[in-house]
């Protein structure tokens, strides 16, 4: 692989900064705190920031790329974002002295992709509005959903691994890592229990069927809807089985977290959520040792049915749309209360840090007897004022320090 000595020097310089940070004792302290939370032991509420609008975050060219080779630029992006977070919005992040070489895996997908019209307000943003064009309308169309075919590019993986080893020799460790590589929950961390497959079959389905249409079909054509979700879960399980056969998993699935959601059921009753989502999703979650359920859908009225259907449930999402008091009562200390405050505060016309702190203090006091994580995510915009997110991180760190047990 061709890259310049200049590119190599840039990456080694960044790697040295990562190594220095990774050597700090605070990383081990935070790692222990995360482990306590995952083991349902009382500790300070942990704070996580991810799904950041990076195109709005650059200050003084901190994120500007200096390398020229595309392979080097991908590495540089990761390193610079880690350093940026450490400088400005650490929350409870952990930095490790490691560069990851992912196993290069190809996947044919589910045989059908979204046909969509997109509306944008910012060409640089990944956040867009979508109008889905319906592709599945009847029983025959369900056959469009195919089982994926997975292949592993062993030679290309080894080539890239050797390149990373050469670049970071005696600076950072280089590790080959198999699936899962999804860093939805803690994107700046790299331990096995903090990565997982983001299992959201209903996010796929509504793109193929239309949102309103499939919700109506749950009433009008329930058998048809059951067939769609069953085949989609089959496809996910087929992919997992192929990963196991190819030997590209990081270990036994029972060592991983199962993480998933069914956000479209925000508008459905607990009975409908159980029948058309949870009972089917349980087949997937049964493969994993610990499970985390939910995203933006409010689950305060559904805690009991999630516990009933999801095996080894360890964490449950409580989004900005829950009745917080009811959620605290329902969850208690039986599982991790993963609170997701609204990112809309970061997009408000006027930034109100005092209001953010008051709300967080009120919530943390109510959840004093729970085992809490705070997830600031789905951040569409900070109005090109990155200091808002820096402030939010400092507020969250300050408030949660009041609640160690």
């Amino acid at each position: 692989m061709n890259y310049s000595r200049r590119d190599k020097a840039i990456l080694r310089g960044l790697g040295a900064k990562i190594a220095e940070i990774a050597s700090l004792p605070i990383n081990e302290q935070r790692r222990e705190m995360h482990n306590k939370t995952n083991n349902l032991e009382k500790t300070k509420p942990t704070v996580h920031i991810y799904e950041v609008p990076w195109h709005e975050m650059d200050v003084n060219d901190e994120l500007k790329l200096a390398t020229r080779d595309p392979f080097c630029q991908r590495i540089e992006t990761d390193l610079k974002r880690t350093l940026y977070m450490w400088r400005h919005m650490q929350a409870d992040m952990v930095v490790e002295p490691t560069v990851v070489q992912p196993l290069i895996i190809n996947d044919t997908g589910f045989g059908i992709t979204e046909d969509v019209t997109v509306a944008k307000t910012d060409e640089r943003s990944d956040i867009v509005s979508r109008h889905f064009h319906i592709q599945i309308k009847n029983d025959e169309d369900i056959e469009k959903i195919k089982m994926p075919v997975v292949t592993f590019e062993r030679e290309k993986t080894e080539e890239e691994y050797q390149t990373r080893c050469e670049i970071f020799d005696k600076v950072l460790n280089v590790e080959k890592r198999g699936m899962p590589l999804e860093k939805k929950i803690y994107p700046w961390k790299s331990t096995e229990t903090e990565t997982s497959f983001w299992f959201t079959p209903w996010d796929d389905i509504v793109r193929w069927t239309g949102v309103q249409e499939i919700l109506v079909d749950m009433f009008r054509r329930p058998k048809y809807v059951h067939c769609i979700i069953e085949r989609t879960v089959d496809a996910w399980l087929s992919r997992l089985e192929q990963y196991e056969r190819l030997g590209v998993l990081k270990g036994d699935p029972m060592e991983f977290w199962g993480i998933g959601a069914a956000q479209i059921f925000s508008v459905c009753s607990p009975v409908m959520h159980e029948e058309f989502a949870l009972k089917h999703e349980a087949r997937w979650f049964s493969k994993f040792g610990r499970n985390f359920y939910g995203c933006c859908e409010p689950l305060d009225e559904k805690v009991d049915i999630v516990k009933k259907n999801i095996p080894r449930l360890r964490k449950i999402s409580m989004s900005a749309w829950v009745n917080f008091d009811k959620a605290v009562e329902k969850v208690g200390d039986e599982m991790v209360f993963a609170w997701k405050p609204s990112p809309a505060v970061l997009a408000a016309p006027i930034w109100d840090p005092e209001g953010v702190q008051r709300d967080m203090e009120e919530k943390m006091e109510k959840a004093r007897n729970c085992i809490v994580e705070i997830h600031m995510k789905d951040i569409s915009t900070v109005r090109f004022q990155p200091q808002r997110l820096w402030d939010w991180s400092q507020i969250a760190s300050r408030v949660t320090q009041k609640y160690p047990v």
Side-chain angles (χ1 to χ4, degrees):
M1 191 172 291
N2 294 321
Y3 57 87
S4 66
R5 283 186 290 181
R6 175 180 175 276
D7 281 2
K8 180 178 180 179
I10 290 168
L11 295 182
R12 287 179 64 83
L14 294 171
K17 293 178 182 179
I18 294 288
E20 182 179 359
I21 292 169
S23 69
L24 298 175
I26 188 64
N27 290 289
E28 185 55 39
Q29 294 167 19
R30 288 175 178 167
R31 191 179 292 109
E32 182 179 349
M33 185 170 59
H34 292 304
N35 288 335
K36 283 185 175 181
T37 299
N38 290 338
N39 291 327
L40 302 183
E41 299 175 29
K42 293 289 183 67
T43 187
K44 181 191 88 69
T46 55
V47 181
H48 313 275
I49 300 172
Y50 50 104
E51 297 176 356
V52 172
W54 284 108
H55 68 290
E56 295 188 13
M57 301 303 291
D58 200 6
V59 174
N60 299 324
D61 290 337
E62 288 182 64
L63 296 171
K64 185 177 180 180
L65 298 181
T67 57
R68 295 173 182 169
D69 178 78
F71 177 78
C72 293
Q73 287 183 335
R74 292 198 301 273
I75 300 173
E76 183 186 3
T77 296
D78 288 342
L79 296 177
K80 283 192 168 179
R81 287 181 179 181
T82 300
L83 292 169
Y84 182 100
M85 291 192 72
W86 186 265
R87 281 192 293 266
H88 299 301
M89 46 189 195
Q90 283 186 36
D92 289 314
M93 71 184 292
V94 174
V95 175
E96 297 184 355
T98 303
V99 170
V100 173
Q101 170 57 51
L103 302 187
I104 299 173
I105 297 167
N106 297 319
D107 189 322
T108 60
F110 297 146
I112 181 171
T113 56
E114 65 179 42
D115 181 7
V116 64
T117 300
V118 171
K120 296 183 177 182
T121 58
D122 183 345
E123 288 296 327
R124 292 174 296 173
S125 175
D126 295 332
I127 307 301
V128 299
S129 295
R130 291 179 170 89
H131 172 71
F132 301 114
H133 302 292
I134 297 173
Q135 300 177 75
I136 296 180
K137 299 179 181 179
N138 52 48
D139 292 334
E140 291 74 25
D141 286 341
I142 297 174
E143 295 301 315
K144 294 178 181 178
I145 304 171
K146 306 297 184 185
M147 299 302 111
V149 176
V150 178
T151 53
F152 170 36
E153 292 194 45
R154 193 179 303 274
E155 291 183 5
K156 187 175 180 182
T157 298
E158 183 63 25
E159 179 187 359
E160 290 194 2
Y161 170 73
Q162 293 299 333
T163 300
R164 290 177 197 263
C165 288
E166 182 180 278
I167 291 172
F168 293 105
D169 182 40
K170 298 179 182 178
V171 176
L172 290 173
N173 302 321
V174 180
E175 256 184 53
K176 289 181 188 175
R177 289 217 181 123
M179 301 297 286
L181 289 171
E182 175 65 66
K183 296 189 176 182
K184 188 77 177 178
I185 305 306
Y186 310 122
W188 31 259
K189 299 181 72 177
S190 54
T191 56
E192 288 181 354
T193 57
E194 286 137 1
T195 57
S196 185
F197 303 103
W198 181 233
F199 174 67
T200 52
W202 275 101
D203 283 2
D204 296 321
I205 290 170
V206 297
R207 287 167 163 80
W208 306 330
T209 64
V211 176
Q212 179 175 309
E213 291 79 4
I214 198 68
L215 290 173
V216 171
D217 280 332
M218 290 178 195
F219 170 71
R220 296 178 63 181
R221 297 191 289 172
K223 184 177 178 182
Y224 160 76
V225 177
H226 280 298
C227 287
I228 294 175
I229 179 61
E230 182 175 7
R231 187 169 178 85
T232 305
V233 174
D234 285 344
W236 277 86
L237 288 169
S238 172
R239 173 186 282 156
L240 181 62
E241 289 164 4
Q242 291 177 73
Y243 287 154
E244 291 185 272
R245 287 201 303 271
L246 288 169
V248 296
L249 289 177
K250 288 187 287 188
D252 189 301
M254 291 300 289
E255 299 171 5
F256 308 150
W257 283 88
I259 304 175
Q263 298 179 80
I264 194 63
F265 286 85
S266 297
V267 297
C268 294
S269 70
V271 172
M272 298 286 272
H273 194 147
E274 180 175 34
E275 178 179 350
F276 292 103
L278 289 165
K279 286 185 176 179
H280 291 279
E281 293 164 337
R283 292 198 291 142
W284 172 267
F285 286 108
S286 69
K287 302 290 184 180
F288 300 95
R290 294 179 176 181
N291 288 306
F292 179 1
Y293 192 82
C295 189
C296 293
E297 69 274 36
L299 294 173
D300 52 312
E301 298 279 4
K302 299 177 178 179
V303 173
D304 291 340
I305 62 163
V306 176
K307 287 165 56 178
K308 173 184 170 184
N309 287 275
I310 302 300
R312 297 176 291 280
L313 181 66
R314 183 58 61 96
K315 298 186 184 185
I316 189 165
S317 170
M318 288 297 151
S319 73
W321 293 276
V322 302
N323 178 317
F324 199 87
D325 291 334
K326 183 176 292 184
V328 166
E329 178 185 352
K330 286 283 189 180
V331 176
D333 60 359
E334 289 185 57
M335 63 194 92
V336 178
F337 187 109
W339 178 45
K340 297 172 179 175
S342 174
V345 297
L346 299 167
I350 298 174
W351 170 233
D352 180 17
E354 293 81 11
V356 168
Q357 180 159 334
R358 282 194 305 271
D359 178 65
M360 191 176 295
E361 288 175 336
E362 177 186 318
K363 296 290 197 308
M364 290 301 94
E365 186 60 39
K366 289 180 176 180
R368 178 180 284 276
N369 294 320
C370 298
I371 299 164
V372 178
E373 287 182 341
I374 303 177
H375 296 252
M376 175 52 76
K377 61 184 288 289
D378 293 315
I379 308 166
S380 301
T381 182
V382 293
R383 287 181 170 254
F384 289 89
Q385 298 173 40
Q387 293 83 358
R388 292 183 174 201
L389 192 51
W390 306 355
D391 289 350
W392 185 93
S393 176
Q394 293 173 3
I395 291 167
S397 295
R398 190 163 59 243
V399 170
T400 55
Q401 286 294 340
K402 300 176 183 178
Y403 295 94
V405 177

